[in-house]
Amino acid sequence: MKFKNIFYLGVLGLAMSACENQLEIDPISDISNANYWQSSSDAEGYLTGTYDNFRSVVDRITYGEDRGDALQPGSRGGVSRAHTQRLDNENGYDWKVIYTNLHHVNMILKYTPGISFGDEKAKNRLLAQAYTMRAHDYMLLLQMWGDVPIVLAPTESVDKGNKPSRQPKSDVMQQILADLETALSLFPEATIPNKYRISRPSALMLKAEALAWNYTVLHSGDKQNLTDAIACLDEVEKCGVSLMDNYADIFDVNHRLNSEIIFALYVRFGEYDNMYAFNFTESAVQGQVGNAVNKDQIPYSNGNIAAPYYAPSAKIKAAFTANDKRRPVCFIEGVNASGKVLFTCQNKFRGTPYEKDRYYDNDIVVYRLADAHLLKAELLCYLGGNNVATAISLMDKTRRRAGIGDYAGPTDQTSVQRAILDERFLELCFELKRWPDLMRAHAAGTINIYDEVPNLNGKSTPLYFPITLNMRDYNENLTQTEGY
């Protein structure tokens, strides 16, 4: 990394070092107000640092897999309360890391417009990325907590009498869509200049997800949401990406930024260590790797780098047919000499063996073309009629690559909706999509999530996170999530 970027990240680090106010964000240091926002390189450097923080928001199973059904306790154990669905007003998760990132995005959106750029397209591209990132942060908040505070300015001064309250889900969605419309109007190109950066196709993917959520979970009742989302995905499909022939290559460190990737977050050993999959990968010091006759095929860690708190669930293992080419890519079983299964760990993000150990340095895939195809299929299915057949043809693209052949099940709308959900379970397993997928399917009537997720069976745990006592200590204006 160039020295000047290290300096910019240092400035960002100073801004992030103290976090205890309205939403656990302290007023930012005067260094970035009076001395920092002077040139285009200041704004570009700050955006680089904000991407680093954004990666820490995305690089966690909390918001994608933890409450779903693709994981179960691993050989080390110690799964979260979210996974066991033991959530209450004392035990839950706060949103500090997301609002910290929002604070820095708001800094960019406040100060960048006043800076002169030699290239106006570069300025617009930078602002478009920031608007999309803010929309992404609010989408995460909406999916996890429902009603959340909407904060559109950085915290630069203390105002204890003006602590933000939670805003209705519909207002949060309105803000997400407004930010995305602004972003889409600013991107100077329809293609993907850099797959490690947010682009117009990335923003279109997020808009399609938001509109799908609005139609299903928020019950907008407006089928225009569906047609608009499909139009977004139509454009994504024409942006220059294509499906990879070999499923395993999509995630392999030797095929970074391959043809299927729309947006990924950079992970390299020495720059950023260990993406989220280390949480469900076997460790030689914590499990039974040494007793496995296929040890050399397992992406295990020699030491404590891998922490197998989780393992691929019995449900995800059973969901794959024996001839599905994705099956051995997604998980691997360690077996002893007599053929007994000792453990199961993920095999999708194998990382890289280095001199002393293996590090999990696979890029974090945020959006890829197969996701776009299957989301489009889901939306088409909601429209019904002849759209259901088109939805099946889209689902068949990933089924054919997996070697399991075209869909041959019932073709009524509800059955196909279920088939698409199941195909997303397989195609996108461990890619942090499962909990939002389940929430949409539950709201659409495709499934009952309390029957679908084993740890929710027989429970009435709300589907949104609670507001913890710690969160209310910072801000007494926060009301509790319904159901807690």
Side-chain angles (χ1 to χ4, degrees), residues 18-305:
C19 297
E20 288 189 10
N21 193 34
Q22 302 165 358
L23 288 162
E24 305 175 73
I25 304 296
D26 242 2
I28 196 163
S29 165
D30 286 342
I31 185 172
S32 40
N33 291 345
N35 306 318
Y36 187 77
W37 299 95
Q38 303 296 319
S39 67
S40 60
S41 59
D42 290 342
E44 290 163 354
Y46 205 93
L47 178 66
T48 297
T50 304
Y51 266 106
D52 187 67
N53 191 57
F54 180 66
R55 180 173 50 194
S56 72
V57 171
V58 177
D59 187 21
R60 54 189 67 215
I61 62 173
T62 309
Y63 309 132
E65 302 293 348
D66 213 1
R67 295 191 71 184
D69 49 4
L71 299 175
Q72 65 185 35
S75 59
R76 181 170 178 175
V79 297
S80 73
R81 281 182 170 268
H83 181 73
T84 58
Q85 310 293 342
R86 292 182 297 117
L87 299 168
D88 53 47
N89 62 359
E90 293 185 10
N91 299 289
Y93 297 84
D94 67 34
W95 47 39
K96 178 178 177 180
V97 65
I98 304 177
Y99 275 102
T100 297
N101 193 67
L102 279 168
H103 168 74
H104 293 295
V105 172
N106 286 333
M107 288 289 290
I108 293 169
L109 294 175
K110 178 176 180 178
Y111 288 104
T112 300
I115 296 174
S116 176
F117 277 62
D119 180 357
E120 196 66 19
K121 288 183 178 180
K123 182 176 184 177
N124 288 341
R125 187 182 299 111
L126 187 152
L127 288 168
Q129 291 174 74
Y131 276 111
T132 307
M133 192 180 293
R134 187 165 75 178
H136 189 283
D137 285 346
Y138 274 112
M139 190 67 192
L140 273 182
L141 288 164
L142 178 64
Q143 290 171 334
M144 297 299 118
W145 283 273
D147 300 342
V148 297
I150 299 173
V151 181
L152 304 179
T155 305
E156 297 179 278
S157 62
V158 176
D159 185 359
K160 294 184 178 180
N162 188 30
K163 295 181 179 179
S165 58
R166 300 177 80 175
Q167 299 301 305
K169 292 183 281 292
S170 58
D171 290 354
V172 181
M173 177 57 70
Q174 184 177 355
Q175 183 59 50
I176 291 167
L177 294 174
D179 277 348
L180 288 170
E181 286 307 305
T182 302
L184 290 168
S185 72
L186 288 169
F187 280 112
E189 60 274 303
T191 53
I192 309 175
N194 181 351
K195 292 187 177 186
Y196 282 136
R197 289 290 183 262
I198 293 167
S199 61
R200 179 178 173 85
S202 307
L204 289 166
M205 285 291 297
L206 180 56
K207 183 179 176 182
E209 288 180 335
L211 290 168
W213 193 269
N214 199 41
Y215 181 78
T216 56
V217 181
L218 302 190
H219 301 292
S220 72
D222 185 0
K223 289 199 173 183
Q224 189 64 43
N225 291 160
L226 301 177
T227 55
D228 288 348
I230 290 167
C232 290
L233 297 170
D234 285 342
E235 184 176 339
V236 170
E237 290 173 337
K238 299 173 184 176
C239 76
V241 291
S242 60
L243 293 180
M244 292 286 284
D245 292 331
N246 183 11
Y247 183 75
D249 287 346
I250 302 168
F251 318 101
D252 188 79
V253 294
N254 296 314
H255 295 86
R256 296 179 191 269
L257 305 185
N258 56 73
S259 68
E260 191 159 331
I261 303 298
I262 296 168
F263 174 41
L265 292 169
Y266 175 95
V267 177
R268 295 284 176 92
F269 172 59
E271 190 274 339
Y272 182 88
D273 294 343
N274 297 329
M275 54 91 73
Y276 62 86
F278 81 91
N279 288 288
F280 40 106
T281 307
E282 204 66 21
S283 168
V285 300
Q286 296 162 352
Q288 300 189 63
V289 171
N291 297 323
V293 294
N294 59 336
K295 175 181 177 180
D296 291 343
Q297 300 172 31
I298 296 165
Y300 68 91
S301 161
N302 287 318
N304 291 304
I305 293 173

